[in-house]
Amino acid sequence: LALPGSGTAAAAGGPAIGPAVGQAVGADRWFVANAGQWSAEVSHALLGADTTSWLLADGFAQRFVRWRPAGGGGGPRQSEGTVVRTRFLGGGGRAWAEAPCAVPFRFLRGDRAHSATASERVRIAALLPGVDLVARTDTHAGRTAFVYDLHLDAGVDLQQIVACCEGVDQLAVDGDGSLVMMAPLPDGGRVELRQTPPVAWQLTPSG
């Protein structure tokens, strides 16, 4: 059984992410492994999509940034954003890359250049007993979003799967089944973040 969902959430910084300069040569969106360019709790980061996302042992965090045009003086653009981190309570899996690519991601740390591997998907194995999380991307209407699927073993109790959304002050289920999150912004405003309704399927001996 698999329960997929997608998110467009958040951050103006992420989970203690350190500065890094990098380029994925020949690719525009990949899950890049952490080779020291981010804090140790991050296993991979999705770069090149509409939001930057970081994968963690118990879930993921996303960054949402809203840009304002430069003022009449021609100064730099201004940005504001927020962080939403999704933790699966009791979770703690091990991440590995799926569908690796030969494209290197290069970054600077101090005065030395380093390389990290990249992949199309990442699996957090044993996020919960009998539950894996598979992170991937999905493109719709010209926009690329972070998407995750929950892969469940037979007989897994769905009641054990509880997600805690940090960085939001309101949660609601919309009429179409979407999860709607309201996240506060530094200027006092709020932004609506939406996860599309899940779709469940089951693998049988015949496929």
Side-chain angles (χ1 to χ4, degrees):
L1 181 69
L3 302 173
S6 67
T8 50
I17 304 301
V21 177
Q23 181 179 8
V25 180
D28 55 356
R29 57 188 70 89
W30 297 102
F31 288 95
V32 178
N34 187 3
Q37 69 272 42
W38 300 300
S39 62
E41 65 178 324
V42 175
S43 67
H44 297 76
L46 173 61
L47 305 179
D50 283 352
T51 60
T52 299
S53 304
W54 297 275
L55 299 182
L56 311 155
D58 61 355
F60 54 88
Q62 293 175 276
R63 177 173 66 189
F64 172 84
V65 176
R66 184 167 63 187
W67 291 92
R68 294 177 178 173
R77 293 190 303 163
Q78 301 296 314
S79 66
E80 60 183 4
T82 186
V83 175
V84 170
R85 178 166 178 168
T86 301
R87 298 177 185 268
F88 289 87
L89 299 186
R94 182 174 61 89
W96 74 67
E98 295 185 344
C101 67
V103 178
F105 179 86
R106 301 188 181 96
F107 65 94
L108 298 176
R109 187 170 68 234
D111 60 353
R112 297 183 58 189
H114 300 265
S115 295
T117 58
S119 60
E120 295 182 11
R121 301 185 303 274
V122 174
R123 178 181 296 269
I124 302 178
L127 171 71
L128 293 164
V131 180
D132 290 358
L133 184 149
V134 177
R136 57 185 177 85
T137 62
D138 184 59
T139 301
H140 178 70
R143 302 187 65 183
T144 300
F146 170 87
V147 178
Y148 67 92
D149 299 332
L150 297 180
H151 291 199
L152 281 58
D153 290 345
V156 167
D157 181 7
L158 296 181
Q159 298 301 317
Q160 72 164 319
I161 306 174
V162 179
C164 175
C165 299
E166 302 175 359
V168 301
D169 58 11
Q170 182 178 339
L171 288 171
V173 178
D174 206 355
D176 66 353
S178 296
L179 176 63
V180 180
M181 300 173 285
M182 300 301 296
L185 295 173
D187 65 356
R190 304 170 82 204
V191 62
E192 178 183 289
L193 309 172
R194 181 177 293 263
Q195 290 194 11
T196 55
V199 177
W201 72 92
Q202 185 173 7
L203 296 178
T204 66
S206 60

